[in-house]
Amino acid sequence: MKNNLKLLPLILIVSLLTSVSTQAHPHSWIDMKTKIEGNESQITGFTMSWTFDSITSAYMLDGEDLSAENKAATLNKIKDSVMENINVEHYFTYFYDGETPIKYAFSNKGTLTQKGSKLTLDFYVPLSKPKAISDRPLKLAIFEPSYYVDMSWDSKNDIQLSSALSKRCSFELIPPNPSPEQVSYAMSLGVDEDPDDALGQLFTQTVIINCLK
């Protein structure tokens, strides 16, 4: 049963943590680092590093073979399952030119490592085709729609531009600004309630990328 659970989408895995979660959103946390990749004329993708909180990490490892001789293969198997599921969810990553979404290509390139009690997933998200930079701002947000999972950058320092892009582009990190009523609503939701997929975007940070022509 445990192995089957790991084939569920990440959000469903987290939603099964009722016994260890408080009855309010969010129930799980991911600390992110993101590098915006590209050259002096194009953005080509994102290098991601997602660190899961200790409880979620423990659940992902529950029942797995973590013996010295098999741990690497086990982590790789879990990585493949998680990557398969976040591919289906478009990596929970929303990248826009104005109101037009920018699409991604399929990728299963990544590694899952453990440091202390936490797991970190490092992977690359390629754009389906490079995005030519212009003087129009681009918007990037990474969030889980129902806000079961809080996905956030601790600070602006957790976001980088490639050295080539940094010659022409800069960015700002805009914090979320939910109303007191929206915060109260999120705090009232239990883990077993039907998801509200309009909630996550209210609590997400937004990166605005500005480039010179």
Side-chain angles (χ1 to χ4, degrees):
M1 180 64 173
K2 292 293 183 184
N3 289 334
N4 290 337
L5 289 176
K6 291 187 173 66
L7 298 177
L8 293 172
L10 177 61
I11 182 56
L12 295 182
I13 293 174
V14 173
S15 74
L16 295 173
L17 294 173
T18 308
S19 62
V20 292
S21 298
T22 58
Q23 292 302 300
H25 282 45
H27 301 279
S28 181
W29 290 263
I30 297 176
D31 293 329
M32 302 188 297
K33 298 182 187 297
T34 302
K35 184 177 181 182
I36 304 165
E37 304 284 5
N39 53 46
E40 292 185 25
S41 61
Q42 299 173 322
I43 294 175
T44 54
F46 306 101
T47 296
M48 304 284 200
S49 183
W50 294 359
T51 298
F52 300 88
D53 68 83
S54 297
I55 293 175
T56 304
S57 297
Y59 187 85
M60 293 167 70
L61 294 173
D62 188 28
E64 297 289 353
D65 183 354
L66 299 177
S67 61
E69 62 270 25
N70 292 321
K71 184 174 181 178
T74 295
L75 291 176
N76 190 61
K77 179 188 69 173
I78 298 171
K79 180 270 298 182
D80 286 344
S81 294
V82 174
M83 286 296 297
E84 178 182 347
N85 291 315
I86 65 174
N87 268 301
V88 173
E89 300 295 336
H90 308 289
Y91 312 98
F92 298 108
T93 300
Y94 304 86
F95 189 36
Y96 287 92
D97 179 353
E99 298 299 317
T100 304
I102 299 169
K103 297 180 180 181
Y104 309 110
F106 174 82
S107 174
N108 197 38
K109 295 179 180 178
T111 58
L112 186 69
T113 56
Q114 182 180 19
K115 184 175 182 181
S117 63
K118 297 182 179 181
L119 293 174
T120 296
L121 178 67
D122 294 291
F123 62 102
Y124 179 64
V125 178
L127 301 186
S128 60
K129 60 181 180 180
K131 174 63 180 174
I133 60 177
S134 69
D135 55 4
R136 295 192 308 275
L138 302 171
K139 181 173 72 173
L140 171 67
I142 304 175
F143 62 93
E144 188 281 301
S146 73
Y147 197 48
Y148 275 113
V149 184
D150 180 285
M151 305 176 71
S152 60
W153 298 283
D154 282 342
S155 74
K156 188 176 179 179
N157 293 332
D158 291 326
I159 306 165
Q160 294 183 328
L161 294 165
S162 72
S163 57
L165 276 175
S166 65
K167 296 175 182 178
R168 294 187 55 190
C169 303
S170 62
F171 68 90
E172 55 183 322
L173 179 61
I174 300 173
N177 187 31
S179 69
E181 293 78 16
Q182 290 164 337
V183 172
S184 179
Y185 171 62
M187 292 295 291
S188 72
L189 293 175
V191 71
D192 56 348
E193 295 190 45
D194 291 338
D196 181 345
D197 287 341
L199 197 58
Q201 60 187 326
L202 300 175
F203 291 86
T204 191
Q205 300 155 305
T206 302
V207 178
I208 304 296
I209 305 166
N210 293 289
C211 301
L212 299 174
K213 250 184 169 181

